[in-house]
Amino acid sequence: AALMSMARLSALPPERAAPALLLYSGRSWSHMAFAEELAGMAAIDKSFCFVATTTREPAHRPGDFGRRIDMDMLAEVLARRSEPRELACFVCGATDFVETVATALVRLGVPADSVKTERYGGA
């Protein structure tokens, strides 16, 4: 629900919204809550970029990925948007995942104070 609140907020009128990019990882497209709605939002609003990566099936759409998030993927996805120093990043997931992605973002040039994290469950 927090994910969709942020995504829907990015769909405000252009004078109130900020460009947004969402990299969303799930086992399969069908396991990703709101995937169809997010894809629809991205199709309508060119300031919103939605990239999905599925870990147990091939990429669902052109521009998506069919593997776990890694440094190469983060670098490619960041390059689709803007300078890393201009980004605010929110990373949510299991603790090990969050730590790995947050560290990778900083290594790719995103300022550490621009990376916000939320952890839930397990390692």
Side-chain angles (χ1 to χ4, degrees), residues 27-121:
R27 291 179 180 164
S28 67
W29 183 263
S30 64
H31 279 92
M32 301 171 91
F34 305 106
E36 291 295 336
E37 181 179 352
L38 291 163
M41 290 169 60
I44 293 168
D45 179 1
K46 297 307 174 195
S47 71
F48 178 67
C49 179
F50 169 56
V51 180
T53 186
T54 48
T55 60
R56 295 191 182 166
E57 68 183 24
H60 187 73
R61 307 169 302 154
D64 284 347
F65 298 89
R67 66 180 196 266
R68 293 188 181 280
I69 295 174
D70 57 28
M71 283 288 276
D72 290 339
M73 182 189 301
L74 287 172
E76 183 179 330
V77 170
L78 287 173
R80 295 180 190 183
R81 247 338 184 199
S82 63
E83 272 298 310
R85 289 174 296 284
E86 299 171 2
L87 298 173
C89 298
F90 302 91
V91 184
C92 180
T95 299
D96 288 347
F97 170 82
V98 169
E99 292 300 322
T100 299
V101 172
T103 299
L105 288 168
V106 171
R107 287 185 180 152
L108 290 168
V110 177
D113 62 351
S114 293
V115 179
K116 308 299 181 203
T117 62
E118 181 176 334
R119 295 159 178 83
Y120 60 82

